[in-house]
Amino acid sequence: MRNIIDKDVQELMDCLHLPDNEILERFSFTHEGEPLSNEHARQFLHFLKTELSKECT
């Protein structure tokens, strides 16, 4: 199971350069088993991109 999760996370990381719409088409995001709305998924993507850009500077 861990390898599947690691692969999914790596795939997401590899796609973060894409526009949010494309990422949302490729991935589904959940919280505690419930799907996130598109707005919440976009907020999550923005958070990821912001945090990762902090790591690079």
Side-chain angles (χ1 to χ4, degrees):
M1 177 85 168
R2 183 167 173 79
N3 288 337
I4 293 171
I5 293 171
D6 290 345
K7 183 180 174 190
D8 290 342
V9 169
Q10 184 61 53
E11 185 178 348
L12 173 61
M13 299 299 287
D14 292 343
C15 291
L16 285 178
H17 69 282
L18 298 172
D20 290 353
N21 289 341
E22 288 186 45
I23 297 171
L24 293 175
E25 288 175 11
R26 292 181 186 206
F27 298 91
S28 57
F29 298 98
T30 62
H31 177 67
E32 296 181 350
E34 296 296 320
L36 293 180
S37 67
N38 277 347
E39 182 59 33
H40 284 118
R42 286 178 194 281
Q43 289 173 0
F44 175 65
L45 289 174
H46 177 73
F47 169 78
L48 281 178
K49 291 176 181 181
T50 301
E51 290 301 307
L52 288 170
S53 70
K54 288 180 188 176
E55 291 294 319
C56 293
T57 57

